[in-house]
Amino acid sequence: MRILIVDDDPMMQLGLEQVLGDRNNIEVVGLAENGKLGVAEAIEKKPDLVVMDIAMPELDGIAATQQIKEKLPDTRVVVLTSHDSQQEVMGALSSGADAYCVKGASVERLISAITAAIDGATYLDPQVGRMVIQNLQTTSPAVPENSANLSSRELDVLKLLVEGKTNTEIAKDLFLSPNTIKTHVKGIMNKLAVDDRVKAAVVALRTGLV
């Protein structure tokens, strides 16, 4: 698992590099001190995953995440930050971030976030999850036109996707192959008019599909 770390705090960079580098299945392939350099490093090195701070000079983590996702859609992004306001959380998720972890959390929680993101699932720190639910409760539902066309199997997959399960876990629960689940997830995102799993889960909860 090739990981790029983007954070303007040198001590945080060093700490993350040591913690992640000690894992047998992780290779830290680069460090960047701001979002602009982070995007450039990501394009050059094409990591599997980027650990991204939010508040940085030159280009913030939200804008950097959006640019990385546009240029490298298969690269996963885990936002790791001390910023946990609702605006920043929803901004990060809307930019395409696959996971959101708050600084100060345990190393195992960060590893869980990274593992979930790599596996195609979503991960939200518990306190962040509460903010997302609050946002859903105060946002008017907008039902996509094609949502009624979801098949019963797609609804089964969507329910498990909302629970944060990976494609492999969903396949096991439904006794299907991971490739079949991947096809269903793509169909779900197309019908819900979204481009990632987090947004699909948000739409599902907001509109009452799940």
Side-chain angles (χ1 to χ4, degrees):
M1 189 190 308
R2 302 172 68 255
I3 291 182
L4 169 68
I5 297 170
V6 184
D7 197 300
D8 63 338
D9 183 343
M11 293 302 293
M12 179 59 68
Q13 279 189 2
L14 178 61
L16 286 172
E17 185 178 21
Q18 290 178 341
V19 167
L20 297 178
D22 285 342
R23 301 276 168 161
N24 292 330
N25 63 334
I26 291 177
E27 176 190 3
V28 177
V29 296
L31 304 171
E33 61 191 31
N34 60 57
K36 185 176 181 180
L37 290 175
V39 173
E41 282 282 292
I43 292 173
E44 178 185 349
K45 297 181 177 176
K46 296 179 174 56
D48 300 307
L49 181 140
V50 178
V51 176
M52 179 76 72
D53 190 17
I54 285 186
M56 293 183 292
E58 298 288 338
L59 189 70
D60 66 45
I62 293 175
T65 296
Q66 187 171 10
Q67 290 186 23
I68 289 173
K69 282 294 188 177
E70 288 174 353
K71 299 179 188 310
L72 303 168
D74 292 333
T75 295
R76 317 300 286 178
V77 178
V78 172
V79 170
L80 176 64
T81 180
S82 56
H83 295 256
D84 57 2
S85 72
Q86 187 177 73
Q87 180 179 359
E88 288 163 332
V89 170
M90 298 312 296
L93 295 179
S94 296
S95 72
D98 303 286
Y100 198 112
C101 199
V102 177
K103 286 181 178 177
S106 67
V107 173
E108 292 308 315
R109 184 173 292 178
L110 173 59
I111 295 299
S112 294
I114 290 172
T115 302
I118 285 292
D119 287 345
T122 58
Y123 179 94
L124 296 178
D125 187 275
Q127 69 188 80
V128 170
R130 288 193 291 271
M131 288 184 184
V132 174
I133 295 301
Q134 289 171 2
N135 182 76
L136 293 177
Q137 291 172 340
T138 58
T139 304
S140 298
V143 183
E145 291 182 4
N146 290 334
S147 62
N149 295 330
L150 289 174
S151 68
S152 60
R153 179 59 78 192
E154 286 173 335
L155 287 171
D156 291 339
V157 172
L158 181 59
K159 179 178 183 296
L160 295 173
L161 185 153
V162 168
E163 292 176 7
K165 294 194 174 184
T166 66
N167 285 354
T168 301
E169 290 170 334
I170 295 173
K172 184 177 179 181
D173 286 353
L174 298 180
F175 303 101
L176 297 170
S177 73
N179 284 337
T180 298
I181 299 303
K182 186 175 181 180
T183 299
H184 282 314
V185 170
K186 286 184 178 179
I188 290 168
M189 291 192 295
N190 182 52
K191 290 179 181 179
L192 297 186
V194 297
D195 54 11
D196 64 57
R197 297 165 68 99
V198 173
K199 293 175 185 175
V202 169
V203 169
L205 290 169
R206 180 183 296 166
T207 60
L209 286 170
V210 174

